Amino acid sequence: MSVPIPQLADKPQHIFIWGMGLMGASLALRLKEAGHRVSGAVRSSKSQQTLTQMGLTDILMGDTECIQALEHADILVLGLNLNDCYRVLSLIAAHPTLGERLAILDLCSTKAEIMAHVRTYYPHLRFIGTHPMAGKEIQGPQAAERTLYENAAVFITPPEHLHAAIAQDLTRLAADIWSIAGAHTATINAVEHDRMMAAVSHGLHLNACLIALLSASGAGKNIDLSPAAGSYRDMTRIVQSSGKMWAEIIHSNRQNTSAWLRALADAANELATGIDQQTVDIAVLFEKAQAVRTQVMRT
Amino acid sequence: MSVPIPQLADKPQHIFIWGMGLMGASLALRLKEAGHRVSGAVRSSKSQQTLTQMGLTDILMGDTECIQALEHADILVLGLNLNDCYRVLSLIAAHPTLGERLAILDLCSTKAEIMAHVRTYYPHLRFIGTHPMAGKEIQGPQAAERTLYENAAVFITPPEHLHAAIAQDLTRLAADIWSIAGAHTATINAVEHDRMMAAVSHGLHLNACLIALLSASGAGKNIDLSPAAGSYRDMTRIVQSSGKMWAEIIHSNRQNTSAWLRALADAANELATGIDQQTVDIAVLFEKAQAVRTQVMRT
């Protein structure tokens, strides 16, 4: 028989963060501040040292050690990429009691794949998806900041296959965790989340790469000045993100992302034709774009 | 017989800035600081008042008054859009002596059209093109700042039809004017300039509009949180620019801009296919994009 979902309001909980990079460590700082016991896992002793210097002292390495430590934890936060999430989830599921006791959440940028994976392979796990929309171009615990999630949006994707009361308790727990970090939360269906993300984030990162690659002709010009203005700097900034991380995100959301790229291509071709034939009103295009942007940003 | 091209190093010059919006007024502040006499023209008494409060007191309205004032000026800076530049140039050309005396420069974002226009219609004018790569989403003299051009890139397009010595003197004058404003300058062929600008600025503004329009599905979602992260904010920021201004820029650089859009469409479709067929290495894509960006930005 499984124990109730732990709630932060009831008592200080023991929260284990498996993966203390930028995202995990930033969350850890706030949870510890709020009086919870925070321990966690990293892959290198360098990260361990960095975290110790930040006051996060209970940091382990190695799967065996981590699984043992989890026997004393209430909540598991996966600060890992998708494949590592799957690996850790399989370890939890293989353990005789952990799966019945732990409340588990992840921080991955795509939600449809991991929710389907858990439902298919580990339907008994008390797992809830969360996606904090925060980050930096730099990674690792040394980049962690207690304010990383301040006013950030966090999307929560409740497990639809679990008993409604369990799903509700998990949702409350996830919302409380992110509130402590200073974020705002909303629940959303995982498939809908991923479709939306293609249009406001995932596709944009690829678009930024294409802009940079198309500007290569400006790179070799025989002039000693950069031709790049603020528009170029802003629109290509995100190509500095980790390509390895983005490869995984794009792969996980490949159908929505490639559909978005094709929609962009259609729109770009249509606009090019409108410009050639002088049938497009660019001022109106800007006005429409401004209106949508204001709505999407809810400002 | 025409007088020599005035040079800022020789003596304080009288510089008339026709069009004291954000760009013209920001330049005026620095030229005045440097000891030159600055006067200029605006279209509204509200702008006149704003400029007076900023210490720029010698500001006129009306073509007749401005042309009269130009009889005492050495240098004319056109802080106007293309069509207004053409109008003022025609007034100068119609005047019996102004065309022989004034050194003239513009601040337009495209250079091929205005250089060809001057060469065709006013080949005798001592005109040089300049394009300061600076700006803001907000316009007007009230947005002017003495630091607007600090470390900005300014491209100078010398007139290739004038006597080489005249072109050289104009280039020196233009470079000195922009140095006073804190900018870095480089000369470039006007046609090459516009092709480059399509890829680092003009096309990007349209791309930003397309991104915003494609995100419309995220605007109406039944969630009380904005789905937009920093990537969306950065990549759509420039849609807040003046659509009217951009309509003119795009029109003036329409061939390069529509070619850029078609190249973007091709690249987006190719990438979509690569993602669908899992033949593209996203991490390598990011690496390549990062390398080009670093080169283009010369950082």
Side-chain angles (χ1 to χ4, degrees), chain B residues 113-141:
Chain B
E113 190 186 329
I114 196 165
M115 297 308 290
H117 185 95
V118 172
R119 173 158 50 184
T120 305
Y121 299 108
Y122 316 114
H124 63 294
L125 288 187
R126 291 117 59 91
F127 176 90
I128 187 161
T130 81
H131 171 212
M133 296 200 67
K136 290 187 192 178
E137 276 77 55
I138 40 170
Q139 307 293 315

PDB file of all heavy atoms in Angstrom, chain B residues 113-141:
ATOM      1  N   GLU B 113      19.923  52.303 -53.313  1.00  0.00           N
ATOM      2  CA  GLU B 113      18.907  53.117 -53.968  1.00  0.00           C
ATOM      3  C   GLU B 113      19.261  54.597 -53.929  1.00  0.00           C
ATOM      4  O   GLU B 113      19.201  55.286 -54.956  1.00  0.00           O
ATOM      5  CB  GLU B 113      17.543  52.874 -53.300  1.00  0.00           C
ATOM      6  CG  GLU B 113      16.395  53.498 -54.087  1.00  0.00           C
ATOM      7  CD  GLU B 113      15.050  53.408 -53.370  1.00  0.00           C
ATOM      8  OE1 GLU B 113      14.823  52.448 -52.614  1.00  0.00           O
ATOM      9  OE2 GLU B 113      14.236  54.333 -53.562  1.00  0.00           O
ATOM     10  N   ILE B 114      19.624  55.104 -52.775  1.00  0.00           N
ATOM     11  CA  ILE B 114      19.895  56.547 -52.671  1.00  0.00           C
ATOM     12  C   ILE B 114      21.168  56.925 -53.437  1.00  0.00           C
ATOM     13  O   ILE B 114      21.221  57.985 -54.075  1.00  0.00           O
ATOM     14  CB  ILE B 114      19.940  57.025 -51.184  1.00  0.00           C
ATOM     15  CG1 ILE B 114      19.816  58.564 -51.141  1.00  0.00           C
ATOM     16  CG2 ILE B 114      21.175  56.538 -50.448  1.00  0.00           C
ATOM     17  CD1 ILE B 114      19.490  59.125 -49.760  1.00  0.00           C
ATOM     18  N   MET B 115      22.170  56.044 -53.422  1.00  0.00           N
ATOM     19  CA  MET B 115      23.397  56.350 -54.175  1.00  0.00           C
ATOM     20  C   MET B 115      23.094  56.396 -55.682  1.00  0.00           C
ATOM     21  O   MET B 115      23.589  57.276 -56.403  1.00  0.00           O
ATOM     22  CB  MET B 115      24.498  55.317 -53.885  1.00  0.00           C
ATOM     23  CG  MET B 115      25.000  55.263 -52.433  1.00  0.00           C
ATOM     24  SD  MET B 115      25.513  56.854 -51.699  1.00  0.00           S
ATOM     25  CE  MET B 115      27.017  57.199 -52.613  1.00  0.00           C
ATOM     26  N   ALA B 116      22.271  55.454 -56.150  1.00  0.00           N
ATOM     27  CA  ALA B 116      21.906  55.437 -57.571  1.00  0.00           C
ATOM     28  C   ALA B 116      21.047  56.651 -57.922  1.00  0.00           C
ATOM     29  O   ALA B 116      21.211  57.259 -58.987  1.00  0.00           O
ATOM     30  CB  ALA B 116      21.147  54.140 -57.894  1.00  0.00           C
ATOM     31  N   HIS B 117      20.141  57.003 -57.009  1.00  0.00           N
ATOM     32  CA  HIS B 117      19.266  58.158 -57.211  1.00  0.00           C
ATOM     33  C   HIS B 117      20.093  59.440 -57.364  1.00  0.00           C
ATOM     34  O   HIS B 117      19.885  60.221 -58.304  1.00  0.00           O
ATOM     35  CB  HIS B 117      18.317  58.270 -56.010  1.00  0.00           C
ATOM     36  CG  HIS B 117      17.274  59.339 -56.141  1.00  0.00           C
ATOM     37  ND1 HIS B 117      16.009  59.088 -56.619  1.00  0.00           N
ATOM     38  CD2 HIS B 117      17.304  60.667 -55.858  1.00  0.00           C
ATOM     39  CE1 HIS B 117      15.298  60.214 -56.611  1.00  0.00           C
ATOM     40  NE2 HIS B 117      16.068  61.189 -56.144  1.00  0.00           N
ATOM     41  N   VAL B 118      21.017  59.639 -56.463  1.00  0.00           N
ATOM     42  CA  VAL B 118      21.844  60.855 -56.513  1.00  0.00           C
ATOM     43  C   VAL B 118      22.695  60.866 -57.777  1.00  0.00           C
ATOM     44  O   VAL B 118      22.794  61.879 -58.473  1.00  0.00           O
ATOM     45  CB  VAL B 118      22.725  60.968 -55.249  1.00  0.00           C
ATOM     46  CG1 VAL B 118      23.726  62.108 -55.389  1.00  0.00           C
ATOM     47  CG2 VAL B 118      21.856  61.192 -54.010  1.00  0.00           C
ATOM     48  N   ARG B 119      23.295  59.731 -58.088  1.00  0.00           N
ATOM     49  CA  ARG B 119      24.149  59.661 -59.289  1.00  0.00           C
ATOM     50  C   ARG B 119      23.334  59.972 -60.552  1.00  0.00           C
ATOM     51  O   ARG B 119      23.817  60.642 -61.458  1.00  0.00           O
ATOM     52  CB  ARG B 119      24.783  58.280 -59.407  1.00  0.00           C
ATOM     53  CG  ARG B 119      25.548  58.101 -60.715  1.00  0.00           C
ATOM     54  CD  ARG B 119      26.590  57.014 -60.643  1.00  0.00           C
ATOM     55  NE  ARG B 119      26.017  55.777 -60.093  1.00  0.00           N
ATOM     56  CZ  ARG B 119      26.727  54.688 -59.846  1.00  0.00           C
ATOM     57  NH1 ARG B 119      28.034  54.674 -60.075  1.00  0.00           N
ATOM     58  NH2 ARG B 119      26.151  53.618 -59.365  1.00  0.00           N
ATOM     59  N   THR B 120      22.093  59.487 -60.589  1.00  0.00           N
ATOM     60  CA  THR B 120      21.252  59.685 -61.772  1.00  0.00           C
ATOM     61  C   THR B 120      20.737  61.124 -61.886  1.00  0.00           C
ATOM     62  O   THR B 120      20.817  61.733 -62.947  1.00  0.00           O
ATOM     63  CB  THR B 120      20.037  58.730 -61.725  1.00  0.00           C
ATOM     64  OG1 THR B 120      20.530  57.399 -61.577  1.00  0.00           O
ATOM     65  CG2 THR B 120      19.199  58.835 -62.997  1.00  0.00           C
ATOM     66  N   TYR B 121      20.222  61.632 -60.767  1.00  0.00           N
ATOM     67  CA  TYR B 121      19.512  62.915 -60.845  1.00  0.00           C
ATOM     68  C   TYR B 121      20.350  64.118 -60.407  1.00  0.00           C
ATOM     69  O   TYR B 121      20.124  65.227 -60.869  1.00  0.00           O
ATOM     70  CB  TYR B 121      18.219  62.861 -60.031  1.00  0.00           C
ATOM     71  CG  TYR B 121      17.250  61.816 -60.530  1.00  0.00           C
ATOM     72  CD1 TYR B 121      17.010  60.655 -59.811  1.00  0.00           C
ATOM     73  CD2 TYR B 121      16.605  61.978 -61.760  1.00  0.00           C
ATOM     74  CE1 TYR B 121      16.143  59.688 -60.287  1.00  0.00           C
ATOM     75  CE2 TYR B 121      15.737  61.015 -62.245  1.00  0.00           C
ATOM     76  CZ  TYR B 121      15.510  59.871 -61.506  1.00  0.00           C
ATOM     77  OH  TYR B 121      14.655  58.912 -61.981  1.00  0.00           O
ATOM     78  N   TYR B 122      21.254  63.906 -59.483  1.00  0.00           N
ATOM     79  CA  TYR B 122      22.045  65.032 -58.951  1.00  0.00           C
ATOM     80  C   TYR B 122      23.525  64.684 -58.922  1.00  0.00           C
ATOM     81  O   TYR B 122      24.161  64.733 -57.863  1.00  0.00           O
ATOM     82  CB  TYR B 122      21.569  65.394 -57.539  1.00  0.00           C
ATOM     83  CG  TYR B 122      20.068  65.426 -57.396  1.00  0.00           C
ATOM     84  CD1 TYR B 122      19.414  64.490 -56.587  1.00  0.00           C
ATOM     85  CD2 TYR B 122      19.303  66.374 -58.069  1.00  0.00           C
ATOM     86  CE1 TYR B 122      18.029  64.505 -56.462  1.00  0.00           C
ATOM     87  CE2 TYR B 122      17.916  66.397 -57.959  1.00  0.00           C
ATOM     88  CZ  TYR B 122      17.285  65.455 -57.158  1.00  0.00           C
ATOM     89  OH  TYR B 122      15.917  65.470 -57.032  1.00  0.00           O
ATOM     90  N   PRO B 123      24.096  64.352 -60.062  1.00  0.00           N
ATOM     91  CA  PRO B 123      25.477  63.875 -60.065  1.00  0.00           C
ATOM     92  C   PRO B 123      26.474  64.933 -59.579  1.00  0.00           C
ATOM     93  O   PRO B 123      27.613  64.597 -59.243  1.00  0.00           O
ATOM     94  CB  PRO B 123      25.724  63.503 -61.538  1.00  0.00           C
ATOM     95  CG  PRO B 123      24.693  64.247 -62.312  1.00  0.00           C
ATOM     96  CD  PRO B 123      23.506  64.393 -61.418  1.00  0.00           C
ATOM     97  N   HIS B 124      26.062  66.201 -59.555  1.00  0.00           N
ATOM     98  CA  HIS B 124      26.976  67.262 -59.134  1.00  0.00           C
ATOM     99  C   HIS B 124      26.984  67.453 -57.615  1.00  0.00           C
ATOM    100  O   HIS B 124      27.869  68.087 -57.071  1.00  0.00           O
ATOM    101  CB  HIS B 124      26.573  68.590 -59.801  1.00  0.00           C
ATOM    102  CG  HIS B 124      25.212  69.057 -59.378  1.00  0.00           C
ATOM    103  ND1 HIS B 124      24.058  68.367 -59.704  1.00  0.00           N
ATOM    104  CD2 HIS B 124      24.816  70.129 -58.632  1.00  0.00           C
ATOM    105  CE1 HIS B 124      23.002  69.011 -59.197  1.00  0.00           C
ATOM    106  NE2 HIS B 124      23.439  70.078 -58.539  1.00  0.00           N
ATOM    107  N   LEU B 125      25.975  66.906 -56.895  1.00  0.00           N
ATOM    108  CA  LEU B 125      25.918  67.126 -55.437  1.00  0.00           C
ATOM    109  C   LEU B 125      27.057  66.389 -54.741  1.00  0.00           C
ATOM    110  O   LEU B 125      27.406  65.273 -55.101  1.00  0.00           O
ATOM    111  CB  LEU B 125      24.572  66.673 -54.866  1.00  0.00           C
ATOM    112  CG  LEU B 125      23.342  67.528 -55.192  1.00  0.00           C
ATOM    113  CD1 LEU B 125      22.132  67.038 -54.405  1.00  0.00           C
ATOM    114  CD2 LEU B 125      23.593  69.007 -54.917  1.00  0.00           C
ATOM    115  N   ARG B 126      27.604  67.055 -53.711  1.00  0.00           N
ATOM    116  CA  ARG B 126      28.699  66.460 -52.938  1.00  0.00           C
ATOM    117  C   ARG B 126      28.060  65.620 -51.826  1.00  0.00           C
ATOM    118  O   ARG B 126      28.031  66.008 -50.661  1.00  0.00           O
ATOM    119  CB  ARG B 126      29.593  67.552 -52.390  1.00  0.00           C
ATOM    120  CG  ARG B 126      30.371  68.267 -53.508  1.00  0.00           C
ATOM    121  CD  ARG B 126      30.042  69.728 -53.640  1.00  0.00           C
ATOM    122  NE  ARG B 126      30.305  70.448 -52.422  1.00  0.00           N
ATOM    123  CZ  ARG B 126      31.461  71.041 -52.126  1.00  0.00           C
ATOM    124  NH1 ARG B 126      32.452  71.039 -52.996  1.00  0.00           N
ATOM    125  NH2 ARG B 126      31.629  71.665 -51.001  1.00  0.00           N
ATOM    126  N   PHE B 127      27.550  64.484 -52.232  1.00  0.00           N
ATOM    127  CA  PHE B 127      26.746  63.627 -51.357  1.00  0.00           C
ATOM    128  C   PHE B 127      27.484  62.329 -51.046  1.00  0.00           C
ATOM    129  O   PHE B 127      28.039  61.685 -51.929  1.00  0.00           O
ATOM    130  CB  PHE B 127      25.414  63.308 -52.054  1.00  0.00           C
ATOM    131  CG  PHE B 127      24.554  62.348 -51.277  1.00  0.00           C
ATOM    132  CD1 PHE B 127      23.638  62.814 -50.346  1.00  0.00           C
ATOM    133  CD2 PHE B 127      24.670  60.974 -51.470  1.00  0.00           C
ATOM    134  CE1 PHE B 127      22.846  61.927 -49.616  1.00  0.00           C
ATOM    135  CE2 PHE B 127      23.889  60.082 -50.738  1.00  0.00           C
ATOM    136  CZ  PHE B 127      22.969  60.563 -49.813  1.00  0.00           C
ATOM    137  N   ILE B 128      27.430  61.934 -49.775  1.00  0.00           N
ATOM    138  CA  ILE B 128      27.992  60.636 -49.381  1.00  0.00           C
ATOM    139  C   ILE B 128      26.977  59.897 -48.498  1.00  0.00           C
ATOM    140  O   ILE B 128      26.286  60.514 -47.678  1.00  0.00           O
ATOM    141  CB  ILE B 128      29.358  60.795 -48.657  1.00  0.00           C
ATOM    142  CG1 ILE B 128      30.006  59.418 -48.413  1.00  0.00           C
ATOM    143  CG2 ILE B 128      29.223  61.575 -47.334  1.00  0.00           C
ATOM    144  CD1 ILE B 128      31.496  59.499 -48.141  1.00  0.00           C
ATOM    145  N   GLY B 129      26.870  58.612 -48.721  1.00  0.00           N
ATOM    146  CA  GLY B 129      25.918  57.825 -47.939  1.00  0.00           C
ATOM    147  C   GLY B 129      26.543  57.334 -46.641  1.00  0.00           C
ATOM    148  O   GLY B 129      27.716  56.955 -46.617  1.00  0.00           O
ATOM    149  N   THR B 130      25.763  57.354 -45.564  1.00  0.00           N
ATOM    150  CA  THR B 130      26.220  56.710 -44.324  1.00  0.00           C
ATOM    151  C   THR B 130      25.054  55.957 -43.702  1.00  0.00           C
ATOM    152  O   THR B 130      23.897  56.336 -43.865  1.00  0.00           O
ATOM    153  CB  THR B 130      26.796  57.716 -43.276  1.00  0.00           C
ATOM    154  OG1 THR B 130      25.738  58.339 -42.562  1.00  0.00           O
ATOM    155  CG2 THR B 130      27.699  58.752 -43.928  1.00  0.00           C
ATOM    156  N   HIS B 131      25.363  54.881 -43.044  1.00  0.00           N
ATOM    157  CA  HIS B 131      24.332  54.075 -42.383  1.00  0.00           C
ATOM    158  C   HIS B 131      24.806  53.723 -40.976  1.00  0.00           C
ATOM    159  O   HIS B 131      25.570  52.778 -40.789  1.00  0.00           O
ATOM    160  CB  HIS B 131      24.044  52.795 -43.176  1.00  0.00           C
ATOM    161  CG  HIS B 131      23.154  51.844 -42.428  1.00  0.00           C
ATOM    162  ND1 HIS B 131      23.238  50.481 -42.565  1.00  0.00           N
ATOM    163  CD2 HIS B 131      22.160  52.063 -41.525  1.00  0.00           C
ATOM    164  CE1 HIS B 131      22.344  49.907 -41.772  1.00  0.00           C
ATOM    165  NE2 HIS B 131      21.682  50.837 -41.135  1.00  0.00           N
ATOM    166  N   PRO B 132      24.352  54.495 -39.992  1.00  0.00           N
ATOM    167  CA  PRO B 132      24.689  54.158 -38.601  1.00  0.00           C
ATOM    168  C   PRO B 132      23.834  53.007 -38.117  1.00  0.00           C
ATOM    169  O   PRO B 132      22.605  53.061 -38.202  1.00  0.00           O
ATOM    170  CB  PRO B 132      24.355  55.449 -37.839  1.00  0.00           C
ATOM    171  CG  PRO B 132      23.301  56.117 -38.660  1.00  0.00           C
ATOM    172  CD  PRO B 132      23.543  55.714 -40.093  1.00  0.00           C
ATOM    173  N   MET B 133      24.465  51.934 -37.633  1.00  0.00           N
ATOM    174  CA  MET B 133      23.705  50.767 -37.168  1.00  0.00           C
ATOM    175  C   MET B 133      23.364  50.938 -35.692  1.00  0.00           C
ATOM    176  O   MET B 133      23.976  50.331 -34.813  1.00  0.00           O
ATOM    177  CB  MET B 133      24.483  49.494 -37.416  1.00  0.00           C
ATOM    178  CG  MET B 133      24.682  49.283 -38.900  1.00  0.00           C
ATOM    179  SD  MET B 133      25.072  47.596 -39.321  1.00  0.00           S
ATOM    180  CE  MET B 133      23.577  46.746 -38.908  1.00  0.00           C
ATOM    181  N   ALA B 134      22.393  51.799 -35.482  1.00  0.00           N
ATOM    182  CA  ALA B 134      21.923  52.046 -34.121  1.00  0.00           C
ATOM    183  C   ALA B 134      20.462  52.418 -34.234  1.00  0.00           C
ATOM    184  O   ALA B 134      19.998  52.814 -35.295  1.00  0.00           O
ATOM    185  CB  ALA B 134      22.716  53.169 -33.478  1.00  0.00           C
ATOM    186  N   GLY B 135      19.754  52.315 -33.169  1.00  0.00           N
ATOM    187  CA  GLY B 135      18.329  52.642 -33.198  1.00  0.00           C
ATOM    188  C   GLY B 135      17.674  52.146 -31.935  1.00  0.00           C
ATOM    189  O   GLY B 135      18.330  51.597 -31.044  1.00  0.00           O
ATOM    190  N   LYS B 136      16.395  52.368 -31.876  1.00  0.00           N
ATOM    191  CA  LYS B 136      15.602  51.919 -30.737  1.00  0.00           C
ATOM    192  C   LYS B 136      14.233  51.581 -31.277  1.00  0.00           C
ATOM    193  O   LYS B 136      13.882  51.939 -32.389  1.00  0.00           O
ATOM    194  CB  LYS B 136      15.407  53.045 -29.719  1.00  0.00           C
ATOM    195  CG  LYS B 136      16.610  53.481 -28.940  1.00  0.00           C
ATOM    196  CD  LYS B 136      16.111  54.476 -27.896  1.00  0.00           C
ATOM    197  CE  LYS B 136      17.244  55.215 -27.232  1.00  0.00           C
ATOM    198  NZ  LYS B 136      16.728  56.194 -26.261  1.00  0.00           N
ATOM    199  N   GLU B 137      13.433  50.921 -30.438  1.00  0.00           N
ATOM    200  CA  GLU B 137      12.058  50.657 -30.852  1.00  0.00           C
ATOM    201  C   GLU B 137      11.253  51.958 -30.828  1.00  0.00           C
ATOM    202  O   GLU B 137      10.267  52.082 -31.506  1.00  0.00           O
ATOM    203  CB  GLU B 137      11.398  49.625 -29.943  1.00  0.00           C
ATOM    204  CG  GLU B 137      11.703  48.199 -30.347  1.00  0.00           C
ATOM    205  CD  GLU B 137      13.095  47.791 -29.922  1.00  0.00           C
ATOM    206  OE1 GLU B 137      13.414  47.908 -28.735  1.00  0.00           O
ATOM    207  OE2 GLU B 137      13.884  47.392 -30.787  1.00  0.00           O
ATOM    208  N   ILE B 138      11.671  52.909 -29.994  1.00  0.00           N
ATOM    209  CA  ILE B 138      10.923  54.171 -29.930  1.00  0.00           C
ATOM    210  C   ILE B 138      11.597  55.222 -30.793  1.00  0.00           C
ATOM    211  O   ILE B 138      12.817  55.219 -30.979  1.00  0.00           O
ATOM    212  CB  ILE B 138      10.769  54.688 -28.478  1.00  0.00           C
ATOM    213  CG1 ILE B 138      12.072  54.456 -27.681  1.00  0.00           C
ATOM    214  CG2 ILE B 138       9.616  53.988 -27.788  1.00  0.00           C
ATOM    215  CD1 ILE B 138      12.095  55.126 -26.341  1.00  0.00           C
ATOM    216  N   GLN B 139      10.790  56.108 -31.343  1.00  0.00           N
ATOM    217  CA  GLN B 139      11.272  57.107 -32.284  1.00  0.00           C
ATOM    218  C   GLN B 139      11.135  58.508 -31.680  1.00  0.00           C
ATOM    219  O   GLN B 139      10.631  58.673 -30.589  1.00  0.00           O
ATOM    220  CB  GLN B 139      10.452  57.037 -33.585  1.00  0.00           C
ATOM    221  CG  GLN B 139      10.391  55.657 -34.211  1.00  0.00           C
ATOM    222  CD  GLN B 139      11.739  55.194 -34.723  1.00  0.00           C
ATOM    223  OE1 GLN B 139      12.453  55.939 -35.363  1.00  0.00           O
ATOM    224  NE2 GLN B 139      12.124  53.969 -34.396  1.00  0.00           N
ATOM    225  N   GLY B 140      11.564  59.501 -32.453  1.00  0.00           N
ATOM    226  CA  GLY B 140      11.330  60.894 -32.067  1.00  0.00           C
ATOM    227  C   GLY B 140      12.458  61.477 -31.251  1.00  0.00           C
ATOM    228  O   GLY B 140      13.249  60.760 -30.633  1.00  0.00           O
ATOM    229  N   PRO B 141      12.552  62.809 -31.229  1.00  0.00           N
ATOM    230  CA  PRO B 141      13.645  63.485 -30.528  1.00  0.00           C
ATOM    231  C   PRO B 141      13.645  63.222 -29.022  1.00  0.00           C
ATOM    232  O   PRO B 141      14.704  63.222 -28.399  1.00  0.00           O
ATOM    233  CB  PRO B 141      13.403  64.976 -30.828  1.00  0.00           C
ATOM    234  CG  PRO B 141      11.979  65.076 -31.254  1.00  0.00           C
ATOM    235  CD  PRO B 141      11.634  63.762 -31.882  1.00  0.00           C
TER     236      PRO B 141
END
